[in-house]
Amino acid sequence: MNQRTIPLILILTALLTACSARYNRMQHDLHVLSEKNQADTVFTSTAEAQRLVRYFRHHGTPNERMLAHYLLGRAYSDMHDAPMAIECFKDAIEAADTTSEDCDYRQLGIVNIQMANLFYHQNLLSEMILHANAAEHCAMMIKDTLLSLTMAAQKVSAYSRLNMPDSIIAIGQRVSRMYKKLGRSDLSAIALCSSIDPYVERGEYEKAKSYMDIYESESRRFDGKGNIEKGCEIYYYTKGKYYLAIHQYDSAEYWFRKELREGRDFSNQNAASRGLAQLFRECHEPDSAAKYALYSYEMNDSMYAQMATRDVKQMQSLYDYSHYAKIAQKKALEAHMQERRLWIACIGIFVVALIAYIIYSLDKKRRERLIKEYEESVKQLGTANYMLVQLRDKEIRSEDVIRRLEAIVSEQKEKISRLPFRQLDSIGSMKEKIMSSSSYRTIATCAQRGKELSDEEKALVREIVISQIPKFYEYISSVEAELSMLEYQVCLLTRLYFKPLEISNMLGISQPYVTKMRNSILQKLFNEGHSVRELDELLQRIC
């Protein structure tokens, strides 16, 4: 690997490590904030949630992005900023990837439930029904039947405000049947209660009475004396209306007065007084009718005053243009800055990649040039050394030729030493490297077939040794070694892991003569005290 590319790799590794560490930290913070929300912690600031949204907008999974936007919406909701909460919940829904198998439908359902509640309290009933349907679908996707039925039942209040009795009855019957299948007869009875009023209005009194009986006997909301649990007293008004419709005035009056006595909030007081006013009007008691009509009017005033105050606050938060104009402007500026940062990052990555490519290309060309120089020097060194061994073998003492060859040898050795190649392999890895080369396989094929090597193949043997084991070649080619040509060739082939029988075939000599050459090599290169069997190991150590 080129030394110049190492810093780039280290920088990229450091960047990836830093990004991974930051992602793990942000993921942890997201889970911590989610746990706080699940513990019903009331958020008093949006700073932490906004930080998570900024990060997960461009990082993490769609599920994490959805959760971050949802938590920001919850923070705005706790701070009574309904429009911003709705906007964040919309972002959370858009972030969900419903095409993915690991889509978190439970979290998506929770987001839709929050949206439905907000829209209901702002009297945006169509939107409330839309998100309740979405929440019901999510519950079915995760096979949470109870949650699905709960969301279906919640739509009844919206349909009631919209005066859609058919939808109320249809939902009540469907939910009741499903609860019955689940073995929840109490919830099944409660689901039917919403259908009593529509049946009374239609004049289907028998149906209304049957539902009343089921509700009172199976809902578990009544004690042994027929009193309903606290908070549900509005049922007395429904029951009073039923008796008023069938002209059982004493029973109607009983239930209206029971609600007036036990239901102390504005809604119950208004309903009970309205029911009594209608009752006395039908009984031709104008004084009592006027009395309760006036009381109902006063209760209406109080209710509308409360509703008006609430609606004014909601409208004020909804239409505080200056506040949301500033937020929109801030978001636009953040988006612009984010876009600029993205472009700068892309350009930076492109420049780094271009520089890395240029460095890699230049280094590749440089290495190719050095390899060619190395191979050429190896060939010249091998030829010069070979000629020196031949001269020594033939006892030719031409001083001029020897000096010229020795000068070539010295020049090529110096040139090779300056090239950036080093023999750093272990003996085991060196053997694998030598045997995996195509040149070695060519020589090995000759050995396997018992074929004598040609002059070109003998030159190839020298090139293998010079290129792979230059120190060994330098040692055996030295004048001090005084090896003959045959000893020189036996020594090279032995160092390349060939056996005596293979060497005899490759050099065209007998195996006993190879053994004789091995003894001679042992005496010339190594000290006394070694056997010929150790020659292979001794030669292997010279690397």
Side-chain angles (χ1 to χ4, degrees), residues 79-140:
M79 296 170 68
H80 309 292
D81 194 341
M84 286 303 296
I86 290 173
E87 192 67 28
C88 293
F89 291 147
K90 285 181 179 178
D91 291 339
I93 292 171
E94 291 173 2
D97 183 7
T98 55
T99 62
S100 174
E101 292 183 357
D102 64 345
C103 178
D104 190 351
Y105 279 101
R106 180 172 296 280
Q107 183 61 53
L108 183 58
I110 291 171
V111 176
N112 278 287
I113 290 171
Q114 294 288 337
M115 289 279 280
N117 289 336
L118 284 172
F119 281 128
Y120 179 78
H121 290 301
Q122 292 194 5
N123 208 33
L124 300 173
L125 303 177
S126 298
E127 287 79 0
M128 180 270 180
I129 293 170
L130 178 68
H131 287 282
N133 286 334
E136 187 179 354
H137 170 72
C138 292
M140 293 304 295

Side-chain angles (χ1 to χ4, degrees), residues 217-233:
S217 61
E218 299 181 14
S219 67
R220 300 179 186 174
R221 287 184 170 178
F222 295 83
D223 61 17
K225 297 180 180 179
N227 298 313
I228 200 168
E229 64 184 26
K230 292 295 182 182
C232 300
E233 294 89 351

Side-chain angles (χ1 to χ4, degrees), residues 385-399:
N385 269 326
Y386 184 67
M387 292 176 67
L388 280 172
V389 173
Q390 282 183 321
L391 290 173
R392 187 166 59 240
D393 193 42
K394 295 176 181 179
E395 296 184 352
I396 297 174
R397 299 302 180 194
S398 174
E399 296 298 331

Side-chain angles (χ1 to χ4, degrees), residues 5-19 349 352-353 356:
T5 61
I6 292 176
L8 291 174
I9 294 174
L10 291 176
I11 291 171
L12 291 174
T13 303
L15 287 173
L16 290 173
T17 303
C19 290
I349 292 171
V352 170

Side-chain angles (χ1 to χ4, degrees), residues 95-238:
D97 183 7
T98 55
T99 62
S100 174
E101 292 183 357
D102 64 345
C103 178
D104 190 351
Y105 279 101
R106 180 172 296 280
Q107 183 61 53
L108 183 58
I110 291 171
V111 176
N112 278 287
I113 290 171
Q114 294 288 337
M115 289 279 280
N117 289 336
L118 284 172
F119 281 128
Y120 179 78
H121 290 301
Q122 292 194 5
N123 208 33
L124 300 173
L125 303 177
S126 298
E127 287 79 0
M128 180 270 180
I129 293 170
L130 178 68
H131 287 282
N133 286 334
E136 187 179 354
H137 170 72
C138 292
M140 293 304 295
M141 290 296 293
I142 59 174
K143 296 180 173 56
D144 191 338
T145 308
L146 282 176
L147 179 60
S148 172
L149 294 176
T150 301
M151 291 312 302
Q154 283 188 1
K155 290 184 287 185
V156 169
S157 55
Y159 284 124
S160 178
R161 286 192 184 184
L162 292 170
N163 194 24
M164 298 174 65
D166 292 341
S167 297
I168 295 172
I169 292 172
I171 290 177
Q173 291 177 342
R174 177 169 67 88
V175 172
S176 179
R177 284 195 302 270
M178 292 299 294
Y179 276 133
K180 200 76 171 178
K181 288 181 180 179
L182 295 173
R184 293 300 302 271
S185 57
D186 55 337
L187 297 178
S188 174
I190 292 170
L192 292 176
C193 180
S194 59
S195 301
I196 297 172
D197 261 340
Y199 279 130
V200 171
E201 296 291 338
R202 289 180 174 187
E204 298 182 36
Y205 304 126
E206 291 183 3
K207 198 73 173 178
K209 185 62 169 68
S210 66
Y211 281 11
M212 288 166 59
D213 292 341
I214 294 172
Y215 181 61
E216 292 178 13
S217 61
E218 299 181 14
S219 67
R220 300 179 186 174
R221 287 184 170 178
F222 295 83
D223 61 17
K225 297 180 180 179
N227 298 313
I228 200 168
E229 64 184 26
K230 292 295 182 182
C232 300
E233 294 89 351
I234 196 67
Y235 173 71
Y236 296 145
Y237 174 69
T238 300

Side-chain angles (χ1 to χ4, degrees), residues 197 232-241 244 249 251-281 288-300 303:
D197 261 340
C232 300
E233 294 89 351
I234 196 67
Y235 173 71
Y236 296 145
Y237 174 69
T238 300
K239 194 168 184 179
K241 282 179 63 178
L244 181 62
Y249 299 126
S251 296
E253 183 178 359
Y254 171 80
W255 292 111
F256 288 144
R257 290 191 180 280
K258 187 174 181 62
E259 180 183 16
L260 191 66
R261 184 173 60 254
E262 297 181 9
R264 303 309 301 172
D265 58 82
F266 287 119
S267 179
N268 278 292
Q269 292 291 299
N270 177 50
S273 56
R274 187 169 63 251
L276 288 169
Q278 186 177 356
L279 169 66
F280 289 126
R281 188 164 55 249
S288 297
K291 171 186 173 182
Y292 287 106
L294 179 60
Y295 186 61
S296 176
Y297 178 77
E298 291 174 354
M299 291 300 103
N300 263 327
M303 285 182 62

